[in-house]
Amino acid sequence: MAYDIDMIKKVYSQMADRVNQAREVVGKPLTLSEKILYSHLWEGKTKQAFKRGKDYVDFAPDRIACQDATAQMALLQFMQAGKKNVAVPTTVHCDHLIQAKMGAALDLVSANKSSHEVFEFLESVSNKYGIGFWKPGAGIIHQVVLENYAFPGGMMIGTDSHTVNAGGLGMVAIGVGGADAVDVMAGMAWELKFPKLIGVKLTGKLSGWTSAKDVILKVAGILTVKGGTGAIIEYFGDGARSMSCTGKGTICNMGAEVGATTSTFGYDDSMERYLNATNRADVAAAANEIREHLTGDDEVYANPEQYFDELIEIDLSELKPHLNGPFTPDLATPISEMRVKAKENDWPLKVDWGLIGSCTNSSYEDLTRAASIAKQAVDKKIKAKSDFGINPGSETIRFTAERDGLLQIFEDLDATIFTNACGPCIGQWDRSDRKGDEKNTIVHSFNRNFSKRADGNPNTHAFVGSPEMVAAIAISGRLDFDPTRDKLLTEDGEEVLLDEPTGIELPPKGFDVKDPGYIAPSEDGSEVVIKVAEDSERLQLLEPFEPWDGKNLMGVKLLIKAFGKCTTDHISMAGPWLRYRGHLDNISNNMLIGAINAFNKKTNFVKSQITGEYDGVPAVARKYKAAGISTIVVGDHNYGEGSSREHAAMEPRHLGVMVVLVKSFARIHETNLKKQGMLGITFENEKDYDLIQEDDTFNLVDLSEFAPDKPLTIEVVHADGSKDTFKANHTYNDSQIEWFKQGSALNLIKIQNNA
């Protein structure tokens, strides 16, 4: 039986009336995305048709999921909200703080020792406030959610950008910052700009070396890392129905890499099979009763160009296997073209590591497809030329895969089976074979491949592919290996061509597990005591940010003008810094240390206008803060791309940054800045970015008139006394301006709770 089945049945009991009302108000057939959005309005049945990409709308999500790295700050904020229990079903999953090094058994013991304080804190807070707790080793948050909590037609939010993975089971699942999650935990509405809609029509059927992963690798190449910003991607067509549920999850998962609000698929037979296989026949039965409302209307899919803001068509029968990268997940290259492209770009051809797993590709089907390739190498006496690492998606997946002999196949190739956790995907990897900044290549089935992300080395060229392609390339040891045409040499000197991969959608003997790793909260957590040591380097109770004084911001100093791509990894790195995710002051020492200074093209080396000397970004920021001087960060396009980590907004706020002025924002990061009481604004004319000089001082001369849809005027005073004045746009509505006035959204919640 499913968790929270009564909640799911309640959602379904309301859906028909709400969808029918929305269809009548909107005056046309509805997409699946619209059905889910309109059936989750905070006000209930809709009274108006919302404008896509324009109207801010209050929603009522069904549930929340948090991973351990982001949960710390989210729960530290929730503790200030003055609530006895979370208002909606919520879970915490410990998957980020486990470093991959020696293998699952040793690595898990090490993590439980090194992060004991954090795990104990998360478990105790969960126990106190009615939150389900998944202990270390239980699995990767998004795989665990898909196996246990996701349900067709539902809406959930999660404090991780890849929450969107649950779209594989027909949800609208959206990644948010912790402050957004706190709103919903506290029983308040969750605000989102009504998304635009991108339709992806899939025809044909996948075969051979082409997999579901190649669909999203292709889409990423089409849309680029910001092409989906502000939109939901809805997949449909015969090709969509032909894919497995976990394959759909893979596609939705990596939709975060194109900036999409989320991605989703309509309910179909593959989802019903998956629900039944994961002991949720009750959910499948309930979904079947309202099946027509759990997919888009027939008219929509018959004439999609009339109902979507953008339409992409992909014939799966013609789709080729891809590798995307390096350094960005949208640089798409068909395997057949890699040999030429790698040579043209001087990418290292020798592959040192092949890594399979992450929240994107760690299902039972993924492991079987990769194992079908690995077994050929074992049987034909082909020794893998690259090191191999495997991260199963959950303890259920691991236990079942071990029972069915899949893990032994990888071990026969000398692969290391890491913990059921994120590991190398989020920089939790103690990679012993590389030191310094040596240029090298790795291939993985993850979702992101930003510079330094996996191992901290800026010269690691990481390429993203399907698990079976990663397996083939790791066995060959070469980036330019095309398994559809290139042969491998056996130990006996024979040249052989690998057979096409084969996969098993669901385990024939069913899923099995001894201990899934779940700990239910106490029915009454009022007596639970949460302790945070004053001298802890891992955890720190939060102090409220100061409210705005209502005056214009004058004399604001430039902290850094970031050049080019500046993701949340650049703003607040993961890897070893994950240990400080619950301690705002300590983790602020990584603020913007990965951003490239536009004036000297160096990282973590900026000029202080107080001393005239250069130092690290956090050190300079702390000196400005100590002197009572507010600062500004200037950035390029899609600023804040990547992870939902709100630390990338909280750290600048903590160290005195009041304004972030960029050419364009990634959606989640812009919201996170707003939630923390900062000004996130964009150049009205992006060429004004070029006016900014190293010793500039900024005056926001009409901030006292801050209002929706009214641009702000910025006066920039240069070192020689000359000035430039230009306009900056913003997307703040009245309630978001109130967050700014009060110093943060959390401050406003506390005021409202105490009223």
Side-chain angles (χ1 to χ4, degrees):
M1 180 171 147
Y3 292 94
D4 309 308
I5 185 63
D6 291 338
M7 176 270 286
I8 295 172
K9 288 182 176 179
K10 181 181 178 181
V11 171
Y12 285 173
S13 70
Q14 300 170 339
M15 197 156 190
D17 284 347
R18 294 187 177 190
V19 167
N20 290 333
Q21 171 82 1
R23 192 184 289 112
E24 183 177 331
V25 171
V26 173
K28 61 180 180 179
L30 299 177
T31 65
L32 168 65
S33 304
E34 290 172 311
K35 289 181 180 181
I36 298 176
L37 292 169
Y38 277 109
S39 65
H40 283 83
L41 297 178
W42 181 256
E43 63 181 15
K45 291 184 181 180
T46 189
K47 299 184 178 77
Q48 69 178 103
F50 296 108
K51 297 177 182 177
R52 299 176 189 172
K54 183 173 178 60
D55 289 340
Y56 280 97
V57 182
D58 286 340
F59 291 100
D62 301 313
R63 67 175 314 110
I64 298 168
C66 309
Q67 42 95 336
D68 49 355
T70 54
Q72 295 171 67
M73 199 58 70
L75 295 181
L76 284 165
Q77 292 177 84
F78 180 73
M79 288 166 62
Q80 295 187 52
K83 297 291 184 177
K84 291 184 179 180
N85 275 291
V86 291
V88 302
T90 302
T91 52
V92 167
H93 304 256
C94 296
D95 63 354
H96 274 56
L97 299 178
I98 304 169
Q99 188 177 57
K101 183 178 182 180
M102 303 296 293
L106 294 176
D107 292 348
L108 186 56
V109 169
S110 177
N112 276 318
K113 182 178 180 180
S114 63
S115 294
H116 171 75
E117 178 186 12
V118 173
F119 295 148
E120 187 177 64
F121 167 77
L122 293 174
E123 184 177 348
S124 65
V125 176
S126 298
N127 197 23
K128 184 175 183 65
Y129 294 109
I131 299 169
F133 181 75
W134 291 81
K135 63 187 181 183
I140 304 172
I141 175 173
H142 311 303
Q143 180 65 34
V144 174
V145 166
L146 198 70
E147 291 174 3
N148 295 277
Y149 299 114
F151 66 97
M155 173 184 274
M156 70 174 289
I157 60 173
T159 61
D160 188 284
S161 56
H162 294 104
T163 300
V164 295
N165 188 81
L169 249 176
M171 293 194 88
V172 162
I174 301 175
V176 299
D180 275 9
V182 169
D183 284 354
V184 180
M185 287 186 217
M188 301 175 66
W190 175 61
E191 183 185 72
L192 176 73
K193 185 180 289 186
F194 204 84
K196 295 181 180 180
L197 299 177
I198 298 174
V200 179
K201 182 178 181 179
L202 301 178
T203 58
K205 191 174 183 179
L206 295 168
S207 64
W209 283 92
T210 308
S211 73
K213 185 63 166 278
D214 295 301
V215 175
I216 187 58
L217 295 178
K218 176 71 173 179
V219 170
I222 294 170
L223 288 176
T224 77
V225 292
K226 62 179 182 177
T229 302
I232 292 178
I233 302 176
E234 184 171 324
Y235 293 84
F236 62 94
D238 291 341
R241 289 188 292 273
S242 72
M243 290 188 292
S244 69
C245 177
T246 52
K248 293 177 173 71
T250 290
I251 293 170
C252 292
N253 180 292
M254 205 172 155
E257 286 16 281
V258 299
T261 300
T262 192
S263 304
T264 195
F265 286 78
Y267 180 58
D268 61 15
D269 292 346
S270 72
M271 296 184 192
E272 182 179 1
R273 290 194 299 272
Y274 187 74
L275 287 169
N276 287 326
T278 51
N279 299 314
R280 289 175 289 171
D282 47 355
V283 178
N288 287 337
E289 291 181 5
I290 61 163
R291 199 176 185 110
E292 66 182 288
H293 301 303
L294 300 178
T295 189
D297 288 336
D298 291 341
E299 298 92 332
V300 169
Y301 296 154
N303 302 286
E305 63 282 348
Q306 297 178 23
Y307 299 97
F308 292 98
D309 300 292
E310 183 177 350
L311 181 64
I312 296 170
E313 296 190 39
I314 298 175
D315 184 344
L316 301 182
S317 302
E318 296 181 358
L319 183 64
K320 303 299 181 184
H322 281 63
L323 277 183
N324 284 24
F327 306 124
T328 185
D330 61 343
L331 183 55
T333 303
I335 292 295
S336 59
E337 299 174 16
M338 181 57 75
R339 184 164 299 162
V340 173
K341 197 166 183 178
K343 185 176 181 180
E344 289 175 348
N345 290 278
D346 194 28
W347 295 335
L349 293 180
K350 180 179 180 294
V351 174
D352 292 332
W353 271 88
L355 298 158
I356 294 172
S358 88
C359 59
T360 320
N361 280 108
S362 56
S363 69
Y364 186 85
E365 182 182 32
D366 289 327
L367 292 183
T368 61
R369 287 182 67 84
S372 74
I373 301 304
K375 191 173 190 310
Q376 293 182 60
V378 173
D379 292 346
K380 296 176 182 179
K381 298 181 181 180
I382 303 170
K383 187 175 182 180
K385 304 300 189 297
S386 308
D387 289 328
F388 236 134
I390 312 291
N391 284 85
S394 69
E395 177 57 14
T396 297
I397 295 294
R398 188 211 64 78
F399 189 94
T400 305
E402 183 177 55
R403 180 201 67 189
D404 294 349
L406 298 178
L407 298 188
Q408 186 60 53
I409 294 171
F410 293 116
E411 290 174 334
D412 288 343
L413 268 185
D414 294 326
T416 301
I417 310 300
F418 293 125
T419 314
N420 316 316
C422 302
C425 182
I426 46 89
Q428 283 285 54
W429 185 23
D430 187 351
R431 185 182 174 186
S432 58
D433 69 320
R434 290 285 164 189
K435 294 182 179 180
D437 293 345
E438 185 178 349
K439 189 174 179 179
N440 72 103
T441 288
I442 64 174
V443 293
H444 60 57
S445 68
F446 308 160
N447 39 49
R448 291 187 178 142
N449 55 351
F450 303 143
S451 175
K452 298 185 179 182
R453 182 171 175 91
D455 60 3
N457 180 356
N459 292 315
T460 292
H461 292 55
F463 294 83
V464 183
S466 67
E468 54 268 41
M469 187 56 65
V470 169
I473 290 175
I475 290 167
S476 75
R478 288 186 62 84
L479 179 66
D480 59 355
F481 177 71
D482 181 353
T484 67
R485 64 184 182 186
D486 295 337
K487 294 183 178 181
L488 294 171
L489 194 66
T490 70
E491 292 180 3
D492 298 330
E494 180 185 357
E495 286 188 336
V496 296
L497 187 70
L498 291 172
D499 296 331
E500 294 175 346
T502 57
I504 303 173
E505 180 181 353
L506 297 164
K509 292 189 257 184
F511 288 107
D512 196 8
V513 66
K514 285 185 178 179
D515 177 12
Y518 176 70
I519 300 175
S522 300
E523 290 187 14
D524 180 4
S526 59
E527 300 301 317
V528 176
V529 177
I530 301 168
K531 297 180 180 179
V532 176
E534 290 187 9
D535 61 348
S536 173
E537 68 166 16
R538 301 290 299 272
L539 298 165
Q540 179 188 47
L541 296 176
L542 294 175
E543 295 291 335
F545 292 129
E546 290 292 324
W548 176 44
D549 62 8
K551 300 178 181 178
N552 293 329
L553 273 175
M554 307 295 285
V556 179
K557 298 294 185 181
L558 177 68
L559 178 61
I560 184 172
K561 179 181 177 181
F563 174 79
K565 185 185 283 283
C566 191
T567 71
T568 49
D569 280 78
H570 294 87
I571 305 167
S572 176
M573 289 183 178
W577 290 97
L578 285 170
R579 66 181 288 103
Y580 300 120
R581 283 285 181 86
H583 197 295
L584 181 56
D585 192 57
N586 282 348
I587 198 169
S588 292
N589 288 322
N590 81 355
M591 183 191 73
L592 286 157
I593 64 175
I596 298 174
N597 183 352
F599 300 110
N600 55 28
K601 301 302 186 290
K602 296 181 179 180
T603 58
N604 202 29
F605 198 64
V606 296
K607 185 177 182 180
S608 166
Q609 294 186 43
I610 296 177
T611 64
E613 298 176 350
Y614 287 82
D615 204 342
V617 182
V620 171
R622 288 184 186 277
K623 289 176 182 176
Y624 281 131
K625 182 180 178 180
I629 299 172
S630 296
T631 52
I632 182 173
V633 170
V634 174
D636 213 316
H637 276 300
N638 209 31
Y639 184 88
E641 169 193 345
S643 169
S644 69
R645 67 192 67 152
E646 63 185 335
H647 300 76
M650 295 185 78
E651 292 171 34
R653 181 74 164 101
H654 176 63
L655 295 188
V657 177
M658 286 302 298
V659 186
V660 179
L661 171 64
V662 300
K663 293 179 182 178
S664 64
F665 282 108
R667 176 191 62 85
I668 299 176
H669 187 64
E670 181 181 20
T671 300
N672 286 345
L673 292 171
K674 293 178 179 180
K675 287 280 186 176
Q676 301 305 331
M678 298 178 70
L679 273 181
I681 54 181
T682 56
F683 291 100
E684 187 172 80
N685 180 356
E686 64 181 53
K687 291 183 179 179
D688 290 334
Y689 170 92
D690 299 326
L691 299 175
I692 309 305
Q693 299 175 22
E694 194 169 27
D695 294 302
D696 282 350
T697 300
F698 295 73
N699 298 318
L700 281 75
V701 297
D702 55 1
L703 183 60
S704 59
E705 303 167 15
F706 194 20
D709 301 318
K710 181 180 180 182
L712 294 170
T713 304
I714 299 180
E715 178 185 76
V716 182
V717 182
H718 305 299
D720 62 2
S722 62
K723 298 179 181 179
D724 282 300
T725 301
F726 54 80
K727 294 288 186 180
N729 295 327
H730 68 85
T731 60
Y732 288 74
N733 58 25
D734 285 323
S735 62
Q736 294 169 347
I737 289 175
E738 196 63 28
W739 299 342
F740 179 75
K741 289 180 178 179
Q742 298 301 332
S744 70
L746 183 59
N747 286 356
L748 183 60
I749 290 176
K750 292 170 68 176
I751 291 172
Q752 293 171 339
N753 286 339
N754 294 327

